[in-house]
Amino acid sequence: MTAATGIRIKWFSIFNYHSMAPSKEQLISKLRQDMLRWEGFRPPLPGAGHNLGLGPIAAAFPGSVFPTGAIHEFISSSPEDTAASGGFIVGLVQKLLNNGGACLWVSYTRRIYPPALKLFGVDPDRVIFVDVPLQKDLLWVTEEALKCEGVAALICETQSLNFTESQRLQLAVEKSQVTGFILRKDVKKANTTACMTRWQIRTVRSQLRTGMPGVGHPRWQVELLKVRNGKPGSWTVEWKKQSFQTVIIPQTIQPSRRYA
């Protein structure tokens, strides 16, 4: 082999190496995927059916997919907001139950009216209500229930949740892949938790059809306050035809005042 041939082979090897080396964007994308995996987020398997019908809200999550097998925290400061949060959660549970399994509803002061679940497409027979007499045992029962792989979703009504408690719940679902919803009531000040997301749901006046009496479809102001490796946002959402529908409310422009 001549010297010229050796030089050509060397330059070809260098060129081939640089052409096969991953780009900066590819390296960043892989690093983000690795970070999500290290933090417990698992991308859905092909055909797993994790589309919960959230529409534009789904774009706020990593990979535009609602994180199942994770803990989602909902905070409310009034009974009205608690009821709104419960309705929104049941709408999510309805989609999760399509893949089989049951839903557990854990609380120490149950105020849910089971037949009302049918409004959101959930048969009360698919929900197992667990009434815990002591609040101090509530999160222990929740943690043990989250370890059951046959459970599709779990809803826990509580008031307090510290970082260590939320971390234990998150570790439990990372193994069982159960989706947990923590509905915190009468929250005066939100503290740091290890939950995948934090939501705040408020009621919004429904829209009546012209000439029709009664009340309209349930409508909420949905605020995603925190989402791990995602994009928080705010949307107006309506529950209609057994699904979430994003509502675009036209902005009212106040006429400018003229002064003499």
Side-chain angles (χ1 to χ4, degrees):
M1 182 177 64
T2 63
T5 304
I7 293 174
R8 285 197 297 270
I9 293 175
K10 182 178 180 180
W11 276 107
F12 174 78
S13 300
I14 295 174
F15 175 78
N16 192 43
Y17 169 78
H18 285 289
S19 63
M20 295 177 62
S23 63
K24 181 179 179 181
E25 290 76 13
Q26 291 174 330
L27 289 173
I28 294 176
S29 177
K30 185 178 185 305
L31 180 59
R32 287 175 176 171
Q33 294 176 2
D34 291 340
M35 290 177 64
L36 288 173
R37 188 175 66 255
W38 296 334
E39 292 179 351
F41 176 77
R42 299 181 184 179
L45 298 174
H50 287 171
N51 179 16
L52 301 189
L54 288 172
I57 301 179
F61 307 118
S64 298
V65 177
F66 180 85
T68 56
I71 298 296
H72 301 270
E73 177 189 15
F74 289 76
I75 60 175
S76 60
S77 57
S78 67
E80 293 80 9
D81 292 347
T82 301
S85 299
F88 184 82
I89 292 172
V90 174
L92 296 173
V93 169
Q94 180 242 11
K95 304 294 184 180
L96 294 172
L97 289 177
N98 290 337
N99 297 325
C103 172
L104 267 64
W105 196 306
V106 184
S107 65
Y108 68 97
T109 55
R110 192 198 334 165
R111 301 186 183 278
I112 184 69
Y113 180 58
L117 300 176
K118 293 183 178 180
L119 174 64
F120 300 96
V122 175
D123 191 335
D125 293 338
R126 300 285 302 277
V127 181
I128 301 173
F129 295 97
V130 182
D131 299 327
V132 182
L134 298 177
Q135 185 178 2
K136 65 178 183 179
D137 298 330
L138 190 66
L139 293 177
W140 178 83
V141 173
T142 299
E143 181 182 351
E144 293 302 311
L146 287 172
K147 297 177 182 178
C148 301
E149 298 181 358
V151 176
L154 182 144
I155 304 170
C156 171
E157 292 186 58
T158 184
Q159 183 176 10
S160 61
L161 181 71
N162 60 40
F163 183 83
T164 302
E165 292 167 339
S166 64
Q167 195 173 40
R168 291 177 64 91
L169 299 181
Q170 183 62 38
L171 289 174
V173 299
E174 287 178 7
K175 294 182 179 180
S176 65
Q177 287 300 290
V178 177
T179 304
F181 302 94
I182 307 300
L183 177 52
R184 299 181 59 187
K185 303 180 292 183
D186 301 324
V187 176
K188 305 303 180 184
K189 183 179 180 181
N191 56 294
T192 302
T193 64
C195 299
M196 178 70 72
T197 63
R198 172 176 286 170
W199 305 74
Q200 189 167 25
I201 314 295
R202 295 187 176 92
T203 57
V204 179
R205 178 183 295 180
S206 59
Q207 182 69 37
L208 295 177
R209 296 181 60 181
T210 305
M212 295 294 291
V215 296
H217 299 283
R219 182 176 289 191
W220 310 291
Q221 186 64 38
V222 177
E223 293 187 52
L224 183 57
L225 303 177
K226 183 195 75 172
V227 52
R228 195 180 302 171
N229 296 303
K231 301 176 182 178
S234 179
W235 305 265
T236 301
V237 176
E238 187 174 78
W239 180 260
K240 186 177 181 181
K241 297 180 179 179
Q242 300 297 315
S243 64
F244 297 104
Q245 297 188 16
T246 305
V247 178
I248 300 177
I249 300 178
Q251 299 294 327
T252 302
I253 301 177
Q254 299 293 338
S256 58
R257 298 179 61 181
R258 295 184 178 181
Y259 297 91

